[in-house]
Amino acid sequence: MRRYQIFIDDQPKWQSSFSALNIEIDISVSDLGTPRGNALLRVYGVPLDEIKTSKQYEGKYVSIYGGMGKGMPLANPSQYGLLATGKVHQCFGNWSGTDQYIEFNIVPDDRAKNITLEWVAGSSLGDALKAALSAAYPTANITNLTDDVKLDYDNHGYYSSVEALATIAKKYNPKLVIIKNGGDITITDKPKDTSKTISINDFIGQPTWIDANTIGFTCVMRGDIDLTTTIDMTMAITGNTQQGAYGTQKNMLTETGKFQVTFVRHLGNYRNTDAGAWSTTIEAVTL
Amino acid sequence: MTQKRTFASNINKFADQKNAVAVEQLPMSLPCTVKSITGALVTVSIDVDSGFDLPDITIGICGFTQILQIPISVGDTGLAVASGVNLVDSSPVLRQEGNLCGRVFVPISNAKTVAKNINNLVVTSNFSDGSYYTNPTLMFTQFAAFVAWANTHKHSSTGTPPFTLFAGNICTAGA
């Protein structure tokens, strides 16, 4: 059984059941240095009063949980989890034909502005980023897990967005990512210690190599996989479908082992019967 | 059905935003004021109304080398000229640094700078070779004393003052 729960300002609002409303979600989860667009949530079948007052949700925090609940043999409830949390940037209702729905445009948070990086000679990049982000997000809980990158000269800068700050930081530490999840910001350059298994049952289609050392695949919706999660694909017996591969390579096993997740996209259409309509697309790099 | 804006307008907006980020990451040369001097480096505050809380930066001085070193005083105005790569460290790397890094102080005048005399090289500080120093005021007073002595002294052989006087030709500034 597909399962979802949507909280608005930590209050449960909609959730899956036999009579649940249909929802559509398209949530891209990436680090702040690699923006992939805002998240979309659309809730169908809402009454007209809800459509009329949809503006009430703007500025509120939305948490979307998804995955599979108990039910069919292959459904694995342990894969259910938080897909994304963010702030409603826009919310509007629509009544078109027989469709009545409200649509949420969700952003990670207010866009931080006027960020000043004071990276003093001899201090670590992670600490300098933490200080800069503390000023930009005064209420955020910021964790720095990076290995130290230190310079013997001052390297200050000013940036209008976290995106600009994060892309500069990557020039000194290519693995460094800044991840914002609700009120938590993590600066890290390491994969998470705990690994999640992608079993062959979970795949929708074939994994493919999409870039140097980067693999992309689609699987059943996984709320338990987040950025920097380590995924274990040792059990996957899948072919190499890279376009340029020789015929013999296509029949070989693809790279198995451990990968670090760099990008997650959750796509969902609760009432659509297609497997791909409740799925997660993941990009990950080899470890 | 939900496509409210055309692809063309979206892709243009996207390009504008990406470009704005890339341009901001490049350093701009910015006006500054000297706050302190340490060795051959000055610490300057950036004098722009930006909305950012810009930190003071410690940078080298243009025209300040082993053989020619210009005097700088606290409060001097100038331009923190951007090079894009680190200049303070001895081994710069060709990569994009923070946009306040890689600068050099170039002293410049502004409307508040008092012009002493535009036709003269004006030096109000000392000349030095590192061991000894002098300055125009000292040189002029000492030279005036020398001129006075030259024109009034008596020769030991004859006991008479000089037949012709030495003018010295010390001019007042601007002449």
Side-chain angles (χ1 to χ4, degrees):
Chain A
M1 275 292 286
R2 292 173 180 175
R3 185 179 174 204
Y4 73 81
Q5 275 175 302
I6 295 162
F7 293 80
I8 292 182
D9 278 352
D10 293 329
Q11 299 298 313
K13 181 69 181 172
W14 295 290
Q15 61 183 343
S16 54
S17 68
F18 287 108
S19 59
L21 299 182
N22 186 25
I23 63 163
E24 280 181 22
I25 52 175
D26 181 354
I27 301 167
S28 291
V29 185
S30 62
D31 69 277
L32 292 174
T34 321
R36 305 257 189 157
N38 300 342
L40 173 138
L41 164 67
R42 202 178 279 162
V43 183
Y44 284 88
V46 292
L48 275 178
D49 286 345
E50 191 94 67
I51 292 175
K52 285 179 192 166
T53 57
S54 57
K55 199 172 171 59
Q56 65 171 309
Y57 296 115
E58 289 182 7
K60 294 189 174 177
Y61 284 88
V62 175
S63 298
I64 303 170
Y65 289 75
M68 302 297 272
K70 285 181 184 173
M72 295 300 194
L74 293 180
N76 183 350
S78 71
Q79 296 170 354
Y80 177 82
L82 179 64
L83 304 180
T85 181
K87 192 172 186 178
V88 179
H89 177 58
Q90 277 187 312
C91 181
F92 50 89
N94 212 340
W95 182 10
S96 177
T98 55
D99 285 335
Q100 283 177 214
Y101 62 87
I102 54 173
E103 181 167 331
F104 295 80
N105 186 327
I106 302 163
V107 295
D109 203 339
D110 293 329
R111 292 184 75 84
K113 288 178 178 172
N114 298 356
I115 302 167
T116 307
L117 177 68
E118 288 191 58
W119 187 9
V120 180
S123 66
S124 80
L125 174 59
D127 290 341
L129 287 171
K130 186 176 176 179
L133 291 168
S134 298
Y137 296 102
T139 58
N141 173 30
I142 302 173
T143 312
N144 172 25
L145 302 173
T146 59
D147 288 332
D148 286 349
V149 176
K150 293 178 179 173
L151 299 178
D152 51 6
Y153 54 91
D154 291 351
N155 195 349
H156 304 329
Y158 59 92
Y159 305 98
S160 296
S161 65
V162 185
E163 176 192 352
L165 175 74
T167 50
I168 284 289
K170 278 190 178 182
K171 294 185 190 298
Y172 303 92
N173 184 352
K175 289 182 177 176
L176 189 146
V177 290
I178 301 171
I179 301 164
K180 189 164 192 321
N181 203 347
D184 296 324
I185 296 177
T186 307
I187 306 162
T188 183
D189 54 5
K190 300 179 189 68
K192 284 180 182 166
D193 292 335
T194 53
S195 70
K196 303 282 183 181
T197 303
I198 307 287
S199 77
I200 193 164
N201 295 333
D202 293 336
F203 282 113
I204 299 171
Q206 295 275 38
T208 50
W209 291 103
I210 56 171
D211 205 344
N213 297 325
T214 306
I215 201 164
F217 61 89
T218 300
C219 63
V220 67
M221 187 177 286
R222 297 286 299 251
D224 61 334
I225 291 179
D226 200 357
L227 296 178
T228 72
T229 298
T230 304
I231 53 174
D232 194 339
M233 302 221 316
T234 43
M235 298 301 290
I237 306 169
T238 49
N240 183 345
T241 59
Q242 188 180 22
Q243 280 190 331
Y246 292 105
T248 49
Q249 286 179 330
K250 285 180 177 168
N251 295 328
M252 292 164 68
L253 295 182
T254 188
E255 187 79 29
T256 56
K258 290 191 186 300
F259 296 79
Q260 181 186 346
V261 174
T262 56
F263 172 64
V264 177
R265 184 181 182 192
H266 304 291
L267 282 169
N269 184 339
Y270 183 66
R271 296 283 179 198
N272 188 313
T273 53
D274 189 272
W278 203 250
S279 66
T280 296
T281 298
I282 293 171
E283 291 175 16
V285 294
T286 51
L287 282 175
Chain B
M1 185 173 73
T2 58
Q3 186 74 38
K4 303 287 188 192
R5 299 204 302 191
T6 65
F7 174 74
S9 70
N10 282 339
I11 200 72
N12 272 287
K13 190 178 177 190
F14 168 80
D16 286 346
Q17 288 173 343
K18 284 289 173 191
N19 186 46
V21 169
V23 167
E24 189 190 53
Q25 288 174 339
L26 298 173
M28 287 170 72
S29 295
L30 297 168
C32 59
T33 302
V34 175
K35 292 186 75 178
S36 65
I37 303 158
T38 310
L41 302 176
V42 287
T43 298
V44 299
S45 58
I46 304 292
D47 300 333
V48 287
D49 183 8
S50 63
F52 290 96
D53 185 16
L54 297 177
D56 294 344
I57 53 175
T58 301
I59 57 181
I61 305 162
C62 181
F64 199 97
T65 66
Q66 294 290 353
I67 59 165
L68 176 68
Q69 304 192 341
I70 60 170
I72 299 282
S73 59
V74 170
D76 280 0
T77 55
L79 196 59
V81 175
S83 85
V85 297
N86 158 48
L87 300 175
V88 174
D89 186 44
S90 56
S91 51
V93 179
L94 184 59
R95 70 176 165 209
Q96 190 169 16
E97 305 282 4
N99 54 10
L100 284 174
C101 183
R103 288 167 183 271
V104 64
F105 177 72
V106 176
I108 58 169
S109 66
N110 61 24
K112 292 177 184 168
T113 308
V114 178
K116 306 273 185 187
N117 191 301
I118 203 72
N119 293 320
N120 296 335
L121 172 64
V122 176
V123 180
T124 58
S125 62
N126 295 333
F127 301 111
S128 174
D129 63 358
S131 302
Y132 305 98
Y133 77 89
T134 183
N135 61 50
T137 307
L138 192 61
M139 289 167 69
F140 295 145
T141 54
Q142 292 302 306
F143 189 62
F146 170 73
V147 171
W149 173 84
N151 290 338
T152 56
H153 78 286
K154 291 178 180 175
H155 293 151
S156 57
S157 57
T158 61
T160 56
F163 293 107
T164 52
L165 296 181
F166 175 50
N169 287 339
I170 296 177
C171 304
T172 53

